[in-house]
Amino acid sequence: MKASQDAQQANNGFVPTIEDTRVVIIQPLDSGSKTHSFPHALVAGIERYPSQITRRMSKTRQTKRSKVKPFIKIVNYNHLMPTRYTLELEGLKNVITNDTFKEPSQREEAKKTVKKSLEERYTTGKNRWFFTPLRF
């Protein structure tokens, strides 16, 4: 796909894949920016997926195994492979911006908020397909 076609499909909450992982587009930037002159998107994804849980496990073990390690990135549209899925993460549009990547402390705070929202989504049982690693 060309960048113009990706720009039409890439909107908030859209779930494409990059490098064998699913990501959520937080903010699409079709015309680029000063630092990145190409069309790109701010994405959030899962670096380490939660482990499998069974009923016999204790509550503390279940909470430990349902932890998620997120990542946030700026990704070129050419590296996104579109899918038919969408996932709405409320409140992340205001947290992650281009300014987030300038300072490491802001980036860590953004990762913490992404982690909190993803773990909350996982524990409620919504969008189970997003929390399973892709198998090729």
Side-chain angles (χ1 to χ4, degrees), residues 54-98:
T54 60
R55 285 189 203 154
R56 297 179 64 189
M57 293 181 186
S58 65
K59 290 288 181 189
T60 55
R61 187 163 186 172
Q62 285 182 6
T63 55
K64 273 189 179 179
R65 291 176 71 93
S66 52
K67 295 218 185 289
V68 172
K69 184 178 181 187
F71 67 85
I72 52 175
K73 275 186 184 179
I74 296 175
V75 180
N76 190 337
Y77 278 160
N78 294 337
H79 301 292
L80 296 175
M81 189 176 96
T83 63
R84 62 182 176 173
Y85 300 108
T86 58
L87 177 71
E88 289 297 324
L89 293 175
E90 301 82 20
L92 291 184
K93 294 169 187 152
N94 300 333
V95 175
I96 301 174
T97 60
N98 268 339

Side-chain angles (χ1 to χ4, degrees), residues 16-121:
T17 60
I18 56 165
E19 301 172 2
D20 303 341
T21 58
R22 294 182 191 98
V23 295
V24 178
I25 293 180
I26 303 296
Q27 183 181 7
L29 298 164
D30 299 334
S31 59
S33 65
K34 202 173 210 180
T35 56
H36 302 286
S37 59
F38 48 87
H40 60 279
L42 302 176
V43 298
I46 299 176
E47 191 171 331
R48 186 171 53 237
Y49 289 92
S51 301
Q52 189 175 3
I53 295 173
T54 60
R55 285 189 203 154
R56 297 179 64 189
M57 293 181 186
S58 65
K59 290 288 181 189
T60 55
R61 187 163 186 172
Q62 285 182 6
T63 55
K64 273 189 179 179
R65 291 176 71 93
S66 52
K67 295 218 185 289
V68 172
K69 184 178 181 187
F71 67 85
I72 52 175
K73 275 186 184 179
I74 296 175
V75 180
N76 190 337
Y77 278 160
N78 294 337
H79 301 292
L80 296 175
M81 189 176 96
T83 63
R84 62 182 176 173
Y85 300 108
T86 58
L87 177 71
E88 289 297 324
L89 293 175
E90 301 82 20
L92 291 184
K93 294 169 187 152
N94 300 333
V95 175
I96 301 174
T97 60
N98 268 339
D99 300 332
T100 307
F101 295 94
K102 291 181 181 175
E103 201 169 313
S105 62
Q106 287 181 336
R107 189 179 174 114
E108 292 302 317
E109 288 297 319
K111 276 189 194 176
K112 285 178 186 175
T113 56
V114 169
K115 179 178 179 164
K116 187 186 243 182
S117 64
L118 286 176
E119 284 179 354
E120 180 183 312
R121 181 65 61 116

